[in-house]
Amino acid sequence: MMAGFLKPTEGTIEMLGYEPTQVDELRSRVGVLPQDAVLPPTERVGEFLVHMARLQDIPKEKAEEAARGVLAEVDGREWWSVKCASLSHGMAKRVQLAQALLGEPEIVLLDEPTAGLDPRVAYEVRQLVKTRKGRCTMIVSSHNLQELEEICDSAAILDRGRVVASGSISQLTNASEEVHVKIAPPLTRGEGAYRGGAPPVPLAQIRELPMVKRAEFDDERMELVVYFERGSVDAETVISHVLWVLLNAQVRISGVSKGRGLEQRVMELT
Amino acid sequence: MNPLSEVWLILQRELLRNFRSVKGIVLALLALLGGSGAAMLLVKFQQFKRTQLPDITPEHMKELREQALAQVYDPETAKQLSSSPEVLYVVLMLTVWLTPLLIVFLGFDNVSSELQHKAVRYWTVRTRRGSYFIGKVLGLFATVSLITLSMHVLIWVVCIARGEASAGETFAWGARFWATSLPMSAAWCAVATLVGSLFRQPVLALLMICVAFFSLWFLWAVGLAANVEGLAYVYPNYYDKLLLSSKAWTAAGGVAACLGFTVIGVGGGTLIFARRDV
C-alpha cells in the first residue's frame, strides 16, 4: 500500500506528504524493492537499470552512470550485459535492490529483502542495507525477526492489519530493562564435572546486586531473567556483575542477551 | 517528468522488447513470408489472366474491377480504386483481415505477463499508470505498423520488379493503402490491450481477446446478414469502406470512427488500470 500497489480498504496513506499513487511528486524520492516481482527476462541488467533511471527523470547522459553506480553498490558490476533471465535468485535480488536504490531516494521500501536467499547472499544483503544507514530511511517488511533486530533501529508489530506495538528495537525488546542468561546443564563426567547435581543459581546473591530490581529463574527453560531500572544503569554493566556472580558459583552459561528478543515480543503481542 | 516523456520511454522499450522476443521475430517473419507468398501468388494469377484471357483489354479489365468494387464501395470510390494496382489492393485486404490476428498474438501478454509476475511494479512506482497503459498500446501499434509496413514494402518491390505498375504508382497507392490500415490497427491494439490488461494470466488474456475480437466480428456479420447497419459499426474493419473513400469527409469519418474506438479502448483501459491493484 505504501508503494501504491494495493489500495487501502479504508483510511489514507501519505508518503512524504503525498499519496503513494502521486508518482510524479514521489519520483526518485521513494525506492521500492517488491518481494515477488520478477525482472523482465529478455532485458539485460544494464539496459533495465538505465530504463528505470530514465523513468526516474535522471537525464540520459547520467542514467548509465547512475545505473552502473547502484549495480556496483550491490557488487554486480560484471552483470551489466547479462540477461535478467540468466541471473540466479540471489543475483536477481541484488539487481532488484539496485533498482530500488537508483537516484538516491529518501525512503526505500524493502519487502522481505532476504526471503528465499541462501545464508551467504542474505548476509550480504543485510550488510548492504546496513551500509545505507544515514543515507536514507529504509522500511523493511519481514517475517525474519532476528534479521529485523539486527538491521533496524525501530519496528512496528502488526497483527491482522493493526499496529499492536511500535518503538525502537530496544524499547520493544526491553533491552534496556532486562537481561536474559541461559544456563547450561552441568557437566556430569570428566574433569570439572560438578559433584552432587547441578550447582544452584545464586539467585539471592544476584538480587542483592545494587542495580538489580528483580531476578527470576525459570527451571524449565533454564533461563535467568534479571530486571533493572532503565536509565540508571546500562545493560552491559548488569551483565558483567551478574556473570561475575554466576561464574564464581561455577554455573555454566550458554548464552546472554539483552532484552527478550523481538520474536518473543511478537509471540507475546500477537 | 511529463506524461509524454513517460509514454515515449515505454514505447521505445516495447518496440525493443517486441522485436527482440522470439515471439515478435517469428510473427514478423511469418507476416513477411505470408505477405510475400501472397504477392507471388497474385503476380502468377495476373500472368495467368494475361495469357488465358488475351481478349480482355486492360480497359475492359478495369471496368470489370470497377463493377466488382462497386458491390462494396460507392461508385466514385470503386472507380478510383479500380485504377490501383490489383496486387496492392489485395495486399491491403490481407493486411486488414490478418492484422487483428497479429495483434492478438503480439499483444495478449504485453500487460498480463507483467501483472502475472508483478514486474509491472517496477513501472508503477516510476510512471503514471495512464502513461504505462498508453505506452503499451502505442508500443503494440508501432510494432504492428512496422511489421505491416515491411510486408507492404516487400510487395511494392515485387510489384515494381514484375512490372505490375510503375514505381510512382506503386509508392503512391502502396503508401495510401498502408496508411489506410493504420487507424484500424490502432483500434484493434487499444481493444486488445484493454481486454488483455484485465487478466493476470496471459493464457486467459489470449482467450478473452480472441473472444472479444470474435464477438465484434460476429456482430458485424449479423449486422450484414440482418441488414442492421448499426451492428456493423462495432467492428473496426468495417471502416475500411469509409477510409478508402474518394471523398475526404467520408475518409475523415472513417479515421474519426477508428480513433473513437482507440480512445474508448485506451481511456477505459487507463481508468481500469489506474484503479486496480497491481
Side-chain angles (χ1 to χ4, degrees):
Chain A
M1 281 187 216
M2 291 172 80
F5 302 148
L6 309 174
K7 299 262 180 303
T9 47
E10 58 180 278
T12 53
I13 297 173
E14 274 193 8
M15 291 277 281
L16 301 166
Y18 298 99
E19 277 181 39
T21 45
Q22 288 180 275
V23 177
D24 205 33
E25 287 77 7
L26 294 173
R27 200 189 303 271
S28 263
R29 296 181 69 192
V30 177
V32 183
L33 166 67
Q35 187 194 348
D36 304 319
V38 175
L39 293 167
T42 54
E43 282 169 43
R44 296 184 192 282
V45 171
E47 69 182 348
F48 168 69
L49 289 175
V50 170
H51 177 63
M52 292 290 124
R54 295 283 293 116
L55 286 173
Q56 283 182 219
D57 215 8
I58 298 174
K60 201 175 182 180
E61 58 281 4
K62 289 188 180 161
E64 188 178 330
E65 189 189 330
R68 285 190 186 277
V70 285
L71 198 56
E73 204 173 329
V74 299
D75 215 8
R77 270 186 202 87
E78 62 276 22
W79 308 336
W80 185 262
S81 307
V82 176
K83 269 197 179 175
C84 292
S86 313
L87 298 171
S88 70
H89 187 53
M91 287 153 83
K93 184 65 93 177
R94 283 199 268 177
V95 173
Q96 289 162 1
L97 188 57
Q99 64 78 34
L101 302 176
L102 267 169
E104 288 291 329
E106 293 164 51
I107 296 178
V108 179
L109 305 174
L110 306 176
D111 191 4
E112 299 282 1
T114 58
L117 297 181
D118 69 58
R120 176 180 284 277
V121 182
Y123 171 80
E124 285 166 2
V125 169
R126 278 197 294 274
Q127 299 312 304
L128 207 77
V129 172
K130 284 180 187 174
T131 59
R132 276 264 161 176
K133 199 168 180 171
R135 286 169 70 184
C136 61
T137 301
M138 289 205 156
I139 300 174
V140 184
S141 150
S142 176
H143 289 92
N144 185 339
L145 301 171
Q146 280 85 10
E147 175 179 280
L148 291 181
E149 223 173 319
E150 187 190 331
I151 61 176
C152 296
D153 298 321
S154 304
I157 299 167
L158 292 166
D159 183 32
R160 279 162 283 216
R162 302 213 172 268
V163 176
V164 290
S166 65
S168 69
I169 294 286
S170 81
Q171 278 173 338
L172 287 171
T173 58
N174 285 349
S176 49
E177 283 176 48
E178 59 190 65
V179 164
H180 293 238
V181 183
K182 273 270 183 201
I183 307 296
L187 283 175
T188 51
R189 271 187 243 169
E191 206 178 320
Y194 188 82
R195 311 278 171 220
V201 172
L203 214 51
Q205 259 177 282
I206 290 167
R207 282 175 181 149
E208 275 167 23
L209 290 169
M211 71 286 284
V212 173
K213 209 164 75 175
R214 206 169 89 232
E216 285 163 9
F217 182 68
D218 185 335
D219 286 318
E220 238 174 74
R221 298 174 64 192
M222 293 289 280
E223 189 177 65
L224 171 69
V225 185
V226 180
Y227 300 90
F228 56 97
E229 200 69 57
R230 181 203 295 259
S232 64
V233 64
D234 62 10
E236 286 73 13
T237 310
V238 178
I239 290 170
S240 310
H241 283 81
V242 170
L243 291 191
W244 178 257
V245 173
L246 290 174
L247 291 171
N248 276 336
Q250 288 186 294
V251 176
R252 295 187 343 120
I253 296 155
S254 64
V256 180
S257 63
K258 294 191 280 182
R260 63 187 72 173
L262 201 54
E263 189 174 51
Q264 202 183 329
R265 188 79 176 120
V266 169
M267 297 306 287
E268 288 165 9
L269 288 167
T270 59
Chain B
M1 190 184 232
N2 66 61
L4 282 180
S5 307
E6 290 178 352
V7 169
W8 175 236
L9 286 169
I10 292 166
L11 162 64
Q12 283 175 303
R13 184 222 169 214
E14 284 304 300
L15 270 174
L16 263 181
R17 192 177 81 116
N18 286 335
F19 282 113
R20 273 204 316 218
S21 67
V22 175
K23 185 183 74 175
I25 294 166
V26 168
L27 284 173
L29 283 176
L30 279 178
L32 286 176
L33 284 174
S36 48
M40 293 311 290
L41 275 176
L42 281 167
V43 169
K44 290 273 175 209
F45 180 63
Q46 298 286 36
Q47 274 178 336
F48 172 80
K49 274 200 301 191
R50 275 196 290 267
T51 52
Q52 299 299 313
L53 307 167
D55 301 337
I56 301 179
T57 61
E59 288 72 29
H60 186 48
M61 186 64 83
K62 188 172 174 291
E63 231 170 80
L64 288 174
R65 267 189 80 199
E66 192 181 325
Q67 282 168 20
L69 288 164
Q71 305 294 313
V72 184
Y73 305 99
D74 61 81
E76 215 174 305
T77 308
K79 190 176 180 188
Q80 201 182 49
L81 289 177
S82 66
S83 50
S84 68
E86 202 176 346
V87 181
L88 298 185
Y89 175 77
V90 175
V91 167
L92 166 68
M93 288 299 113
L94 273 177
T95 310
V96 167
W97 287 92
L98 292 180
T99 301
L101 206 62
L102 184 65
I103 290 169
V104 168
F105 288 111
L106 259 178
F108 74 94
D109 61 348
N110 65 349
V111 178
S112 60
S113 69
E114 289 184 353
L115 279 172
Q116 184 187 34
H117 299 297
K118 295 182 182 165
V120 67
R121 292 181 168 187
Y122 296 120
W123 278 269
T124 54
V125 293
R126 291 176 170 89
T127 60
R128 295 166 183 88
R129 300 258 186 121
S131 306
Y132 175 84
F133 191 86
I134 294 169
K136 286 282 181 183
V137 176
L138 290 179
L140 178 60
F141 174 64
T143 309
V144 170
S145 303
L146 285 174
I147 291 176
T148 54
L149 177 64
S150 356
M151 189 173 96
H152 279 238
V153 169
L154 195 72
I155 287 149
W156 300 348
V157 173
V158 173
C159 191
I160 296 166
R162 303 285 303 203
E164 294 296 321
S166 69
E169 212 181 5
T170 304
F171 287 127
W173 279 107
R176 183 182 163 190
F177 284 159
W178 176 67
T180 299
S181 72
L182 296 183
M184 288 178 279
S185 293
W188 287 118
C189 287
V191 175
T193 312
L194 162 67
V195 177
S197 69
L198 301 176
F199 303 95
R200 282 184 187 274
Q201 284 82 25
V203 176
L204 200 56
L206 173 67
L207 190 73
M208 294 319 287
I209 296 172
C210 288
V211 168
F213 280 19
F214 178 77
S215 305
L216 296 179
W217 173 83
F218 187 71
L219 287 173
W220 169 78
V222 169
L224 280 191
N227 221 6
V228 185
E229 206 176 4
L231 276 180
Y233 292 153
V234 300
Y235 188 57
N237 282 2
Y238 167 80
Y239 298 101
D240 71 326
K241 241 202 257 188
L242 307 185
L243 290 163
L244 284 170
S245 171
S246 56
K247 295 182 191 103
W249 278 110
T250 312
V255 173
C258 290
L259 268 180
F261 261 95
T262 312
V263 168
I264 291 169
V266 170
T270 301
L271 274 178
I272 295 168
F273 191 69
R275 276 160 181 73
R276 71 169 296 163
D277 288 342
V278 295

